Amino acid sequence: MKTIFSGIQPSGILTLGNYLGAMKHFVPLQEEFNCYYCIVDQHAITVPQDPAVLKQNIRRLAALYLAVGLDPNKVTLFIQSEVPAHAKLGWIMLCTSYLGELERMTQFKDKSDGRGESIPGGLLAYPPLMAADILLYDTDFVPVGEDQKQHLELTRDLANRFNSRYGEIFKVPDIRLPETGARIMSLQDGTKKMSKSDANQGGFISMLDDPDTITKKIKRAQTDSDSQVRYDKDEKPAVSNLMTIYSLCSGKSLEEIQAMYEGKGYGAFKTDLAEVVVETLRPIQERYEQLFHTSELDDILSDGARKANEAANRMLHKVEQAMGMARV
Ligand code: TYM
């Protein structure tokens, strides 16, 4: 059976972009693959986090993973910091990396922009830790959104570099991008990625937003002056993004949506879109509420950490042996 690994940062409440670009796709994969889904808290601390907020976000993310439909009997759901092999292999991957390639990462450049001398070291070490996450589990495929493509390419480079130095230890993983929704854009700027760290709250829909908030954000979403509901990514990026969200939440094709709103303008389209998004998130939010306070959630995470530790320690041992660091 092939193996899937993916991770999400508990650095805020997840957005509709995280859901449509990544999480939604994790669910069907559990039927076919051996899946590891991780709450990457050590990635979250590459920028300062408030301890109480981080603690809550970790639990929220765990509950959301289950609320979207992941079955703990089928997948291994765990918290990165509860599996120390990630940090250990992360260090080895950092030592396998070159400064130049780490400085070229666009996320590093974006996040370090304007920080002068005070760029957190963790931002630079972030992609090697991500490589470690993936390589520890003999991963075949990594389902992620488009913004992670460069990190995946680095992961492949590091795996190949390590293998050529120490022998065929790592499987070289492939990226798995969704056909649509790999890059959901901000509601306020159709050329910018929807992001949970956007200072403009109107730019993103959080997976836990209530129906009123969702409706308001969609009503205020950017469109353009010609009032046609037509998919054209270059000329009409904002409307095309709303159509993509509509399509992914309703299962209707972009052509069907275009035909439905022919000559109707944006008002009717936005009213229906809000409804479609609210109805997509409603069952997830209900399950989330039920799960958040249960001890079952802790049991699932403990069991996940146990299973992940077993697999990760096996790989770490192989790596350390290959490098001459294990006594046995
Ligand atoms: P993170 O936490 O930023 O995002 C989690 C997942 O959501 C996807 N995503 C999007 N997809 C479409 N449109 C968007 N606007 C959008 N925003 C986010 C991301 O591509 C991602 O799949 N570095 C990773 C976490 C990570 C990881 C890993 C992922 C750490 N180790 C190992 C895979 C494998 C990150 O910051 O994702």
Side-chain angles (χ1 to χ4, degrees), residues 208-228:
L208 299 178
D209 275 347
D210 60 50
D212 266 5
T213 309
I214 294 174
T215 307
K216 274 192 201 120
K217 286 181 178 177
I218 290 179
K219 290 255 153 92
R220 288 188 198 137
Q222 184 190 34
T223 44
D224 54 32
S225 54
D226 79 2
S227 77
Q228 282 177 37

Side-chain angles (χ1 to χ4, degrees), residues 5-9 17-18 21-22 40 43 126 130 133-134 142 144-145 147-148 181-184 193-194 196:
F5 184 97
S6 202
I8 300 181
Q9 290 192 67
N18 294 124
V40 292
H43 279 103
Y126 181 115
M130 178 162 161
D133 297 342
I134 297 166
V142 185
V144 278
D147 60 344
Q148 298 303 316
R183 194 171 176 82
I184 299 293
K193 185 186 79 167
M194 182 182 283
K196 49 185 171 295

Side-chain angles (χ1 to χ4, degrees), residues 179-181 183 228-237 239-245 247 254-255 257-258:
E179 270 168 40
T180 30
R183 194 171 176 82
Q228 282 177 37
V229 179
R230 180 167 56 80
Y231 191 86
D232 182 336
K233 241 177 151 172
D234 298 327
E235 295 294 320
K236 294 166 71 73
V239 175
S240 301
N241 183 47
L242 296 180
M243 289 178 74
T244 302
I245 295 174
S247 172
L254 294 169
E255 293 75 22
I257 295 166
Q258 192 160 313

Side-chain angles (χ1 to χ4, degrees), residues 9-13 44 49 54 57 196:
Q9 290 192 67
S11 51
I13 302 178
Q49 299 284 340
L54 179 62
N57 283 339
K196 49 185 171 295

Side-chain angles (χ1 to χ4, degrees), residues 72-324:
N73 295 312
K74 294 183 180 156
V75 307
T76 304
L77 175 65
F78 69 102
I79 300 173
Q80 187 184 33
S81 62
E82 293 184 4
V83 182
H86 286 250
K88 286 183 157 187
L89 188 63
W91 172 250
I92 293 172
M93 287 297 110
L94 182 61
C95 296
T96 311
S97 311
Y98 301 131
L99 189 56
E101 63 193 352
L102 299 182
E103 283 176 342
R104 271 197 301 278
M105 294 289 115
T106 48
Q107 277 201 2
F108 170 73
K109 288 198 263 188
D110 290 349
K111 289 196 178 174
S112 53
D113 198 29
R115 289 179 186 249
E117 290 276 285
S118 311
I119 300 168
L123 285 182
L124 195 71
Y126 181 115
L129 178 61
M130 178 162 161
D133 297 342
I134 297 166
L135 298 177
L136 275 173
Y137 298 92
D138 265 335
T139 302
D140 294 280
F141 301 111
V142 185
V144 278
E146 200 181 76
D147 60 344
Q148 298 303 316
K149 208 169 154 190
Q150 200 186 23
H151 291 160
L152 247 294
E153 281 157 11
L154 179 77
T155 300
R156 292 170 56 85
D157 287 348
L158 295 180
N160 281 318
R161 192 175 301 154
F162 186 94
N163 285 349
S164 67
R165 281 185 196 154
Y166 301 107
E168 291 297 308
I169 303 289
F170 293 130
K171 193 177 268 179
V172 182
D174 283 315
I175 188 167
R176 222 177 140 114
L177 288 176
E179 270 168 40
T180 30
R183 194 171 176 82
I184 299 293
M185 310 310 273
S186 157
L187 299 183
Q188 292 296 323
D189 180 350
T191 62
K192 223 176 78 185
K193 185 186 79 167
M194 182 182 283
S195 164
K196 49 185 171 295
S197 50
D198 194 337
N200 182 350
Q201 295 276 322
F204 62 90
I205 291 175
S206 141
M207 286 182 75
L208 299 178
D209 275 347
D210 60 50
D212 266 5
T213 309
I214 294 174
T215 307
K216 274 192 201 120
K217 286 181 178 177
I218 290 179
K219 290 255 153 92
R220 288 188 198 137
Q222 184 190 34
T223 44
D224 54 32
S225 54
D226 79 2
S227 77
Q228 282 177 37
V229 179
R230 180 167 56 80
Y231 191 86
D232 182 336
K233 241 177 151 172
D234 298 327
E235 295 294 320
K236 294 166 71 73
V239 175
S240 301
N241 183 47
L242 296 180
M243 289 178 74
T244 302
I245 295 174
Y246 197 129
S247 172
L248 288 165
C249 290
S250 66
K252 291 191 166 62
S253 70
L254 294 169
E255 293 75 22
E256 279 176 84
I257 295 166
Q258 192 160 313
M260 279 165 65
Y261 296 98
E262 177 107 51
K264 289 193 183 157
Y266 296 137
F269 169 67
K270 282 183 163 180
T271 305
D272 292 352
L273 173 60
E275 173 91 16
V276 165
V277 173
V278 166
E279 289 313 317
T280 299
L281 294 180
R282 190 192 303 280
I284 297 175
Q285 293 178 351
E286 283 170 4
R287 281 195 295 272
Y288 166 86
E289 288 300 336
Q290 289 161 6
L291 281 158
F292 187 83
H293 294 290
T294 59
S295 60
E296 188 196 344
L297 190 57
D298 293 291
D299 296 343
I300 291 168
L301 291 171
S302 300
D303 194 46
R306 188 185 49 75
K307 286 196 259 172
N309 267 305
E310 250 175 58
N313 287 338
R314 254 197 319 272
M315 175 57 88
L316 182 68
H317 188 60
K318 257 166 67 176
V319 169
E320 291 184 336
Q321 268 182 329
M323 297 179 78

